[in-house]
Amino acid sequence: MTAQIDFETLWYASEWLIRFGALATVPLRRSPSAATSWLLLIFFFPALGLLLYLFIGRPRVPVARQKRARELRTFQLDVARRLKNDSCGDRSEAADFAQKLGRMPCVDGNSIELISDYDAVVERLLADIRSAKYAVDLLVYIFADDVVGKRIAAELGEAVQRGVRCRVMFDPIGSHRWRRGTLSLLRDAGVETREALPVHLILRRTRADMRNHRKLFVIDGLIGYAGSQNLVAKDFRPGVVNRELVARMSGPVVASLASTISSDWAMEALDRPDPFPVAIPAGSGELRAQLLPSGADYPFEGFETLLVWQLHRARQRAVLVTPYFIPDESIIGAMCSAASRGVMIDLVVSSVVDQRIVHLAQCSYFEQLLAAGIRIHLYRELLLHAKNASIDRDLGIVGSSNVDFRSFQLNEEASLLLYDRSIIDRLIEIQDGYILASDSLALDSWRSRPRLQQLSENIARIMSPLL
């Protein structure tokens, strides 16, 4: 009996120690909403909350990774310096600000094609690998050993036989369903393979929920791809078919993509810590473009910071396209402020649901946005996984970043910034196509949705900083 009492007392005391410890540590370097969510979880479920916090909740980047990032910064700045000769002659404030956020400059002389057909992206990439002469570098969140992955691996294997150096880096969490098969598939083809931000239960080098979410492909240092598409079949989820948007480009901006891939490879490649050299391609067109990398190795939340600033400066129209919309206060404030000034704001999300809790959380924001005059469109039939934005025909953004806490503060992301009317108008044409294929929400009907749904949304919203 005494032993039982002692154990119960010890357990009770330990729970309160966890709660008081959480009050002292959780709010540090964390937004009020995120801190509130963690504290609620820990106060109601101390043991479970502590385990989750230790695994995915600590906001610090390991010291070793911080040191490595500082070492690689010299390499990135050298590439940026060599790109200076191709820098935009007529740079906008956005371009200068984006360089401060992501280190890479805006450069002239690029050709860019926006591809919204999933299968067409796969075929173009296969053709480019087939024509490669020197090197192929693929950095991607998901690389599956399904029909798409096998076709790409086979083409990479053929390139290796021709003497082309082929490297693939994929995220082990994003690719967890296929991880073992993918490693075997690529290594059997002679492809150099690396996992981004590997997860280890013991002696972890970084937080388990910090992921490399970038999708960047470079062939011979001359052709680059950036966007939202992974290397997996478009219907890899049962009953769900993805629609994406990818920019295929040539010209000096490809060096920015190559620099990011090389830095990420060197961050994880302990056997080769020096980044692979990056050459600056000659101009191949007339378009200005700029890569904005973001993530824990950068001092600010680059994509979010730029987006909030642009929304506050918007004058006519802004379109945001994202599959996962879980904004923080700054995004909500910027959108509502712009709408109050008479700016037309279109938010395009998918009506097809692949992550139920995330969907409920994003729905909890809709009433506030609709009341502010923001138009919300639910894309029908396919999962609109594309991530892009346009502001006033002055700035276009195509990349991998969602409008959510995870993409803003945890994931490694990459966004291609577009500054010329011709390519931005093409992006707006694609976005308007999304809207035509969507159902628009009305405030009155949205307010009349079932009470149980509203309750579920509110509960999910409390959890949103943890998603």
Side-chain angles (χ1 to χ4, degrees):
M1 185 69 178
T2 304
Q4 181 181 358
I5 294 174
D6 289 343
F7 176 78
E8 291 176 352
T9 302
L10 181 62
W11 181 261
Y12 182 77
S14 65
E15 286 189 328
W16 279 104
L17 284 174
I18 292 171
R19 293 182 178 111
F20 283 121
L23 285 173
T25 59
V26 167
L28 298 176
R29 296 182 58 192
R30 185 173 275 109
S31 68
S33 58
T36 300
S37 296
W38 275 112
L39 289 173
L40 282 172
L41 175 63
I42 292 171
F43 265 67
F44 280 103
F45 306 102
L48 175 62
L50 176 62
L51 287 175
L52 286 173
Y53 183 77
L54 292 175
F55 193 62
I56 66 170
R58 289 173 293 178
R60 295 186 182 87
V61 176
V63 174
R65 186 176 180 89
Q66 294 178 37
K67 179 181 178 182
R68 187 73 182 120
R70 288 194 296 270
E71 294 169 351
L72 290 170
R73 195 174 306 154
T74 302
F75 164 75
Q76 296 162 356
L77 292 175
D78 176 68
V79 174
R81 178 187 58 78
R82 290 190 287 120
L83 277 168
K84 187 175 181 181
N85 292 334
D86 299 289
S87 294
C88 301
D90 183 22
R91 291 198 307 272
S92 66
E93 285 185 86
D96 288 336
F97 188 37
Q99 182 170 356
K100 290 181 173 68
L101 295 172
R103 302 178 189 134
M104 292 294 117
C106 172
V107 289
D108 285 307
N110 304 288
S111 294
I112 302 172
E113 177 186 4
L114 298 180
I115 310 175
S116 60
D117 182 273
Y118 197 106
D119 295 330
V121 172
V122 174
E123 296 303 327
R124 293 294 293 277
L125 178 59
L126 286 167
D128 286 333
I129 296 173
R130 196 173 301 125
S131 301
K133 297 179 180 178
Y134 309 108
V136 177
D137 292 298
L138 308 180
L139 169 62
V140 68
Y141 183 61
I142 298 176
F143 196 120
D145 64 341
D146 62 3
V147 61
V148 170
K150 287 176 179 176
R151 290 186 67 195
I152 293 171
E155 205 61 68
L156 290 171
E158 292 291 331
V160 170
Q161 294 299 313
R162 298 194 308 269
V164 177
R165 188 263 296 147
C166 296
R167 296 184 300 164
V168 171
M169 174 175 279
F170 65 88
D171 188 276
I173 299 296
S175 305
H176 69 94
R177 282 173 51 185
W178 311 273
R179 176 178 172 270
R180 291 180 182 273
T182 296
L183 287 171
S184 176
L185 181 69
L186 293 170
R187 288 170 178 171
D188 288 349
V191 178
E192 298 178 55
T193 308
R194 185 72 55 180
E195 294 180 86
L197 296 167
V199 177
H200 303 288
L201 294 179
I202 301 174
L203 299 177
R204 293 202 311 272
R205 296 173 61 196
T206 187
R207 286 173 52 174
D209 63 336
M210 292 175 60
R211 308 314 319 151
N212 194 317
H213 196 242
R214 294 170 179 152
K215 293 96 175 169
L216 299 175
F217 316 142
V218 172
I219 293 87
D220 286 340
L222 301 175
I223 298 171
Y225 291 75
S228 62
Q229 187 162 329
N230 290 293
L231 301 181
V232 63
K234 62 184 177 183
D235 56 352
F236 73 94
R237 295 184 184 91
V240 176
V241 179
N242 281 25
R243 184 174 183 186
E244 310 285 355
L245 184 62
V246 173
R248 181 185 182 272
M249 69 208 81
S250 60
V253 72
V254 176
S256 297
L257 277 67
S259 168
T260 302
I261 294 173
S262 190
S263 295
D264 285 1
W265 185 272
M267 178 70 78
E268 309 298 346
L270 301 179
D271 55 340
R272 167 141 190 182
D274 296 327
F276 285 83
V278 171
I280 309 299
S284 64
E286 299 179 347
L287 297 178
R288 297 169 295 165
Q290 182 177 19
L291 188 72
L292 174 60
S294 57
D297 300 330
Y298 292 83
F300 301 101
E301 291 84 22
F303 173 71
E304 180 190 23
T305 303
L306 181 71
L307 182 60
V308 168
W309 179 61
Q310 283 292 296
L311 286 169
H312 279 301
R313 293 165 58 89
R315 301 179 305 278
Q316 297 174 337
R317 187 190 184 198
V319 183
L320 303 182
V321 180
T322 179
Y324 311 120
F325 180 78
I326 304 181
D328 60 12
E329 294 87 346
S330 60
I331 290 287
I332 289 287
M335 293 175 69
C336 293
S337 173
S340 70
R341 299 195 309 272
V343 178
M344 183 184 298
I345 307 289
D346 288 299
L347 172 65
V348 185
V349 295
S350 185
S351 64
V352 176
V353 178
D354 66 328
Q355 297 187 31
R356 184 64 180 169
I357 296 178
V358 173
H359 173 73
L360 288 171
Q362 77 175 9
C363 286
S364 72
Y365 295 92
F366 288 172
E367 183 171 337
Q368 179 183 0
L369 296 177
L370 290 168
I374 293 164
R375 306 192 304 184
I376 301 176
H377 313 275
L378 304 182
Y379 187 80
R380 298 185 297 268
E381 298 181 4
L382 305 179
L383 174 64
L384 186 59
H385 190 252
K387 307 118 187 329
N388 52 78
S390 62
I391 314 288
D392 284 343
R393 297 180 68 202
D394 294 329
L395 176 66
I397 306 173
V398 176
S400 63
S401 185
N402 299 304
V403 182
D404 66 3
F405 168 82
R406 183 161 299 283
S407 285
F408 292 159
Q409 298 188 20
L410 295 177
N411 288 344
E412 308 291 318
E413 306 281 4
S415 302
L416 184 71
L417 310 185
L418 310 170
Y419 296 100
D420 294 278
R421 287 284 173 90
S422 59
I423 191 67
I424 295 173
D425 284 348
R426 170 60 182 146
L427 174 60
I428 293 173
E429 179 185 354
I430 293 170
Q431 293 174 330
D432 286 341
Y434 297 153
I435 293 172
L436 287 174
S438 300
D439 296 315
S440 297
L441 291 181
L443 178 59
D444 289 342
S445 60
W446 183 250
R447 281 176 171 166
S448 65
R449 67 196 186 282
R451 293 289 184 183
L452 181 59
Q453 180 180 340
Q454 296 182 44
L455 175 62
S456 300
E457 292 168 1
N458 291 335
I459 293 172
R461 180 165 179 164
I462 293 173
M463 299 169 57
S464 62
L466 313 180
L467 299 177

Coordinates of all heavy atoms in Angstrom, one line a residue, residues 37 109 173 238 252:
S37 N -1.2 26.2 -27.8 CA -1.5 24.8 -28.2 C -0.6 23.8 -27.5 O -1.1 22.8 -27.0 CB -1.3 24.7 -29.7 OG -2.2 25.5 -30.4
G109 N 17.8 37.2 -68.3 CA 18.2 36.3 -69.3 C 17.7 34.9 -69.2 O 18.4 34.0 -69.7
I173 N 11.0 11.1 -44.4 CA 9.6 11.2 -43.9 C 8.6 11.3 -45.0 O 7.6 10.6 -45.0 CB 9.5 12.3 -42.9 CG1 10.4 12.1 -41.7 CG2 8.0 12.4 -42.4 CD1 10.2 10.9 -40.9
P238 N -5.2 6.6 -52.7 CA -6.4 6.0 -53.2 C -7.5 7.0 -53.3 O -7.9 7.7 -52.3 CB -6.7 4.9 -52.2 CG -5.4 4.5 -51.6 CD -4.7 5.8 -51.5
P252 N 20.6 31.9 -66.3 CA 21.4 32.1 -65.1 C 20.7 31.7 -63.8 O 21.4 31.3 -62.8 CB 21.7 33.6 -65.0 CG 21.6 34.0 -66.5 CD 20.5 33.2 -67.1

